[in-house]
Amino acid sequence: MEGSMVTPAPALVRFSGIQKTYDGEHLVVKNLDLDIRKGEFITLLGPSGSGKTTTLMMLAGFEVPTHGEIYLADRPIKNMPPHKRDIGMVFQNYALFPHLTIEENVAFPLSVRKVNKAETQERVRAALRMIEMEALAQRRPGQLSGGQQQRVALARALVFNPQIVLMDEPLGALDKRLREQMQLEIKQLHETMGITVVYVTHDQSEALTMSDRIAVFNDGIVQQIDRPDALYEHPVNSFVAHFVGENNVLAGTVETIEQGYCRVALASGGSVMARAVNVASNGAATSLSVRPERISIIMDGATSEGPNRLPATVQSTIYLGDHTLAVLEVGGNEEFMVKLQPGGHNGLRQGENVSITFRPEDCLALDPV
Amino acid sequence: MTEAFLTRADAPTDVPLKRRLKRAERARQFKALSLVLPLLAFLLFTFLGPIAGMLWHAVDDWEVRQVLPHTVAALAAWDGKDLPDEKAYAALADDILAARAAGTLAIAAKRLNYAVNGFRTILTSTARNLKAQPEPGTAKETLGKINPAWRDRATWAAIKGASGPVTSFYLLAALDLTRNVDGAIVAAPPDQAIYRDVFVRTFTIGLSVTVLCLILGFPVAYLLATLPAGPSNLLMIFVLLPFWTSLLVRTCAWIVLLQSNGVVNDSLRFLGLIDAPMRLIYNRFGVYVAMTHVLLPFMILPLYSSMKAISPAYMRAAASLGAPPLAAFLRIYLPQTLPGIAAGSLLVFILALGYYITPALVGGGADQMMSYFIALYTTETANWGLASALGALLLAATLLLGVVYGKLVQGQQVTGGMKN
Ligand SMILES: Nc1ncnc2c1ncn2[C@@H]1O[C@H](COP(=O)(O)OP(=O)(O)O)[C@@H](O)[C@H]1O
Ligand SMILES: [Mg+2]
């Protein structure tokens, strides 16, 4: 599944055959193998309940794997208590200590390590400067806004220069604008400090924006681990194609496969050429995946070349500022999205019959959903 | 329409906005007040009234004033340096005769006897031997002859000291202090100076029981707050169980368990751990055991509620930041339970201060607390003044603690970052 081209740096963390169950009945994490390289920003992406937090908690030492072993710098850490792992963690609800001031919160990891006073003061001040909160050093967490608390939690997890920083949906409680700003700040911190970050989110756009690599989780299984662009362009299955980015689905049956391409007969009639990514053999059911921005609309009557041309009916258009989205009915799918370029096709009317076309290489034949 | 409404509300009308708000609020406040009115009346009747009465009794000095009114008036101008003049003696003879006729002399005698031991005898013998009002000018001589105590300045000083209307006598007595002949405050004679000891004992027992409850209750509260719901609820029932049995029954159960041939001693002897029965009851040990048992839930419940509010994420955060379990507990968990510790300790301590039945049943003579003496003075000797003074001092100490607690809690005001 590995799609990266860069020569891999040595793994700092290695999950090897990890399984985890809480109730002894069903596995929350099923057979996880995952390498985390030194200095990279890796994101665990997946829907709620897919086992991301559990994975993170096993790495932090708060949950014990039911089976398998985790290696930190090639040493097994199953029996190493959390406070010896040297892993900083940012919790979803920040978990700032309410009875300590901001300064004391940030100084906490240094004071438990018995760093001397002068150095502690210096490093705390530097950390607060980094998050631009020197002025609020004497406040209590309860007196800060959500975004400010988030920053403090970040500073606290970074101030002791841990080997790895774990973040579990750290921006989930913030509003959209603040979230985007914090995404950039975290990314910048990662780049300037060169730390290893394991980031958990269920927001695919956040994952695409920030990560060096993304591991897509579903139902306790890692579906694909790849760079953001590879994940978007070359999803290995329907789940990844659907979860990462916008996606249109058409159901069909494989007729022929040759040279990496296949001809697929659509359930609603007609056929298209698609890239054969995850199809078994002739006659197998498949799900076709096409991104909205890879589709063109042809007004009825106009001609076009290319093998993939399907009739469509306009349902509605949605104005989104930088672009417009056309919602079409194609082959029984009534929510078929097409991204329109500004200025183009302004005249689409509801109920109008048009045609759509896309290149075979932009249409992926994947496992049926 | 919205606009029109806004304009109207903002526009300066004849009634200012503030007053209109007040008027609107007043109806609401009135309703709220009427809801708590029954409780207020009840409290006034059963709580505030008796407390005010107690405070008044602690300083009220009416007996001598009522029984010997002329003497009190005649002594008003007395400087206390010498014996009072003839007029005072005549007034006293006058008062004694009147009181004898009315049968009220015993009231004054009882009060004066508190101040000077044997005063009752002085008064009754004088009343018995005084046939009639002495001739003018001879009262001093006559009374002196009947009882030489009337030639003693201290006797008169006692009457003047007890002439009211208010007195510090009882409050001083409750602190083992008294006034000497010249009115200066001095230590009470050793045979009457017992109350400081009793205060120290009361506070020692209260404090020890509080510490015991804290030591025993903290782990239980922690378990309650961290166990899964099922076991936690079961444990909670065990904690609350003592509330469903009467105090008396529980205390008597301890007598059965701890007495010389009780369950504990018999078991220990059976196991061969001891030869002779240990003394487990009718001493301080028994008091501590029984009181701690009775008061434990009052410690556990506030602790539990403060612990329940502490998110487990804090301890995880502390561990991830490098704190070993003990450091995380001491620096992160414990400080957040302080409000619960303070509330529970205050509750247990104040309840313990007022304990009466339990020490009376399972304690020895040297383990009786302040309430025992208060009960003694109200029910046995009817010395309301001293009983009230002891009660007032206990109340003052308790209020002081309450104020200290309030200050502590205010300084500790914590608002969690977890709450948004
Ligand atoms: N402490 C726990 N005890 C029992 N089940 C748990 C516990 N934590 C998580 N689970 C279950 O494990 C599954 C995965 O949870 P989690 O790892 O939190 O997923 P995610 O973080 O991806 O949303 C969920 O079904 C959840 O109900
Ligand atoms: Mg989660």
Side-chain angles (χ1 to χ4, degrees):
Chain A
M1 286 185 186
E2 192 63 50
S4 173
M5 312 277 198
V6 233
T7 33
L12 179 61
V13 175
R14 163 166 291 153
F15 289 87
S16 169
I18 293 292
Q19 295 181 341
K20 174 72 182 173
T21 171
Y22 286 106
D23 51 12
E25 278 171 23
H26 75 283
L27 290 171
V28 168
V29 174
K30 300 168 188 159
N31 229 353
L32 172 69
D33 290 300
L34 175 64
D35 282 5
I36 298 170
R37 295 171 202 142
K38 199 166 164 49
E40 82 171 331
F41 194 120
I42 189 165
T43 296
L44 313 184
L45 171 69
S48 179
S50 58
K52 311 180 296 288
T53 299
T54 304
T55 304
L56 212 59
M57 287 299 165
M58 287 190 287
L59 179 52
F62 299 121
E63 295 291 350
V64 185
T66 313
H67 184 266
E69 185 56 270
I70 304 172
Y71 299 90
L72 179 60
D74 289 330
R75 278 175 51 206
I77 55 168
K78 208 174 194 169
N79 297 317
M80 189 189 279
H83 66 273
K84 291 197 177 141
R85 294 194 179 189
D86 199 26
I87 294 176
M89 179 141 188
V90 179
F91 292 80
Q92 175 159 15
N93 289 315
Y94 323 133
L96 296 180
F97 306 132
H99 59 295
L100 302 180
T101 62
I102 298 313
E103 195 171 29
E104 290 163 342
N105 262 286
V106 177
F108 183 82
L110 300 178
S111 78
V112 295
R113 285 177 173 73
K114 311 231 164 17
V115 176
N116 70 48
K117 256 213 179 88
E119 191 188 339
T120 300
Q121 216 169 22
E122 184 51 45
R123 281 166 72 175
V124 168
R125 198 171 304 143
L128 289 178
R129 197 178 311 131
M130 169 187 86
I131 55 167
E132 292 168 14
M133 296 219 359
E134 292 157 289
L136 305 179
Q138 299 309 323
R139 295 237 188 130
R140 301 261 164 140
Q143 296 166 300
L144 301 186
S145 71
Q148 290 171 328
Q149 292 188 31
Q150 182 55 61
R151 280 210 189 80
V152 176
L154 205 57
R156 190 178 67 172
L158 293 174
V159 71
F160 61 104
N161 294 328
Q163 307 184 56
I164 311 174
V165 178
L166 313 182
M167 304 190 193
D168 189 0
E169 314 217 6
L171 309 181
L174 304 182
D175 61 60
K176 186 169 180 291
R177 254 177 62 96
L178 203 51
R179 202 160 61 221
E180 283 166 0
Q181 183 192 336
M182 288 297 297
Q183 284 170 8
L184 288 180
E185 285 184 25
I186 291 175
K187 189 70 193 146
Q188 270 168 12
L189 281 176
H190 166 250
E191 271 156 18
T192 52
M193 297 182 66
I195 40 169
T196 311
V197 177
V198 184
Y199 192 96
V200 164
T201 183
H202 63 263
D203 179 344
Q204 50 94 14
S205 76
E206 190 167 292
L208 292 177
T209 313
M210 302 178 75
S211 320
D212 295 330
R213 285 195 307 154
I214 300 172
V216 181
F217 275 63
N218 187 37
D219 200 19
I221 294 174
V222 176
Q223 307 285 331
Q224 186 172 1
I225 307 172
D226 237 323
R227 293 197 320 272
D229 55 337
L231 213 56
Y232 189 82
E233 303 288 346
H234 306 285
V236 297
N237 60 30
S238 287
F239 176 81
V240 176
H242 202 67
F243 198 76
V244 179
E246 294 294 328
N247 182 44
N248 293 305
V249 179
L250 293 169
T253 314
V254 180
E255 284 183 334
T256 57
I257 309 179
E258 53 185 272
Q259 288 174 350
Y261 283 86
C262 56
R263 174 153 293 279
V264 173
L266 297 181
S268 55
S271 75
V272 291
M273 287 293 287
R275 226 162 68 204
V277 178
N278 193 355
V279 286
S281 57
N282 294 354
T286 182
S287 238
L288 296 177
S289 158
V290 199
R291 302 282 184 200
E293 72 276 12
R294 305 286 161 84
I295 302 168
S296 320
I297 291 183
I298 306 162
M299 304 310 280
D300 240 18
T303 54
S304 75
E305 64 270 28
N308 297 335
R309 179 172 172 147
L310 294 172
T313 313
V314 178
Q315 305 274 0
S316 59
T317 56
I318 302 168
Y319 178 69
L320 291 168
D322 58 342
H323 68 274
T324 302
L325 214 53
V327 184
L328 311 175
E329 188 273 323
V330 177
N333 179 352
E334 299 206 332
E335 285 169 3
F336 201 97
M337 309 280 189
V338 176
K339 191 173 170 184
L340 304 177
Q341 290 316 308
H345 304 288
N346 284 335
L348 285 180
R349 277 171 291 107
Q350 198 175 343
E352 190 174 356
N353 289 318
V354 294
S355 293
I356 55 165
T357 175
F358 43 84
R359 300 185 306 167
E361 52 266 48
D362 289 332
C363 177
L364 310 179
L366 303 168
D367 51 318
V369 281
Chain B
M1 197 182 145
T2 318
E3 214 163 294
F5 175 76
L6 279 179
T7 325
R8 228 183 308 139
D10 289 343
T13 52
D14 10 337
V15 190
L17 199 56
K18 218 172 225 169
R19 193 167 324 147
R20 276 187 288 161
L21 174 70
K22 242 185 217 154
R23 201 180 294 161
E25 290 284 292
R26 201 173 304 142
R28 217 170 45 81
Q29 285 168 353
F30 219 76
K31 243 184 257 171
L33 191 69
S34 66
L35 285 176
V36 297
L37 215 54
L39 179 66
L40 274 183
F42 178 78
L43 280 182
L44 198 69
F45 191 69
T46 62
F47 186 69
L48 295 177
I51 284 183
M54 178 189 76
L55 293 177
W56 172 241
H57 273 305
V59 295
D60 186 17
D61 208 5
W62 58 276
E63 295 98 333
V64 174
R65 202 175 174 73
Q66 186 182 322
V67 178
L68 309 172
H70 300 102
T71 318
V72 168
L75 285 180
W78 180 45
D79 62 2
K81 294 216 174 71
D82 250 324
L83 281 176
D85 56 10
E86 173 69 19
K87 234 173 47 210
Y89 282 87
L92 179 67
D94 205 14
D95 283 339
I96 287 180
L97 287 175
R100 191 178 59 186
T104 53
L105 200 61
I107 298 173
K110 184 177 167 196
R111 164 67 181 93
L112 287 167
N113 209 51
Y114 293 150
V116 175
N117 224 338
F119 211 115
R120 183 176 284 120
T121 328
I122 300 175
L123 267 188
T124 44
S125 77
T126 309
R128 202 175 329 113
N129 294 317
L130 189 65
K131 301 294 177 243
Q133 181 68 24
E135 293 297 312
T138 64
K140 194 166 185 169
E141 204 191 321
T142 315
L143 286 177
K145 237 183 260 162
I146 291 175
N147 196 325
W150 296 118
R151 295 195 198 114
D152 189 351
R153 194 160 60 94
T155 312
W156 290 96
I159 297 183
K160 187 172 165 75
S163 58
V166 293
T167 181
S168 57
F169 174 76
Y170 298 114
L171 288 170
L172 289 175
L175 292 167
D176 292 348
L177 297 170
T178 186
R179 285 184 194 273
N180 65 9
V181 178
D182 299 315
I185 295 173
V186 294
D191 60 318
Q192 290 168 30
I194 58 166
Y195 303 114
R196 278 190 213 172
D197 269 359
V198 175
F199 264 112
V200 169
R201 183 190 304 158
T202 305
F203 279 79
T204 308
I205 292 179
L207 203 67
S208 308
V209 169
T210 308
V211 171
L212 282 173
C213 281
L214 185 59
I215 291 172
L216 295 175
F218 197 95
V220 178
Y222 181 80
L223 267 186
L224 274 173
T226 47
L227 280 179
S232 169
N233 286 341
L234 190 69
L235 191 60
M236 185 57 107
I237 289 175
F238 285 124
V239 169
L240 294 178
L241 208 57
F243 280 136
W244 303 337
T245 32
S246 99
L247 176 67
L248 215 54
V249 170
R250 276 180 285 162
T251 308
C252 290
W254 281 115
I255 298 178
V256 172
L257 284 171
L258 297 179
Q259 63 194 339
S260 296
N261 45 7
V263 178
V264 173
N265 266 317
D266 281 354
S267 312
L268 289 177
R269 249 182 311 178
F270 179 75
L271 292 173
L273 293 174
I274 52 170
D275 299 325
M278 286 193 301
R279 199 164 162 72
L280 299 174
I281 202 166
Y282 309 125
N283 58 11
R284 196 59 69 83
F285 178 81
V287 173
Y288 285 155
V289 169
M291 282 182 68
T292 302
H293 173 231
V294 171
L295 291 172
L296 203 50
F298 294 99
M299 179 65 87
I300 292 177
L301 292 179
L303 278 178
Y304 167 72
S305 78
S306 77
M307 287 175 181
K308 198 74 190 161
I310 301 174
S311 158
Y314 291 133
M315 290 301 273
R316 289 187 161 188
S320 82
L321 296 171
L326 185 67
F329 174 78
L330 290 177
R331 298 187 48 184
I332 302 305
Y333 198 82
L334 195 60
Q336 294 188 63
T337 62
L338 276 186
I341 291 178
S345 300
L346 190 76
L347 200 60
V348 169
F349 186 68
I350 287 176
L351 284 173
L353 284 188
Y355 255 55
Y356 167 55
I357 297 273
T358 307
L361 288 179
V362 302
D367 307 314
Q368 297 312 316
M369 299 170 70
M370 192 49 84
S371 338
Y372 171 83
F373 291 89
I374 295 176
L376 180 76
Y377 288 128
T378 46
T379 60
E380 302 282 318
T381 67
N383 186 349
W384 288 91
L386 190 52
S388 299
L390 291 173
L393 285 184
L394 206 53
L395 179 68
T398 312
L399 285 182
L400 191 72
L401 277 170
V403 171
V404 170
Y405 168 77
K407 285 266 183 304
L408 276 182
V409 169
Q410 226 169 33
Q412 259 292 318
Q413 234 8 294
V414 287
T415 38
M418 299 292 292
K419 278 167 200 153
N420 343 28

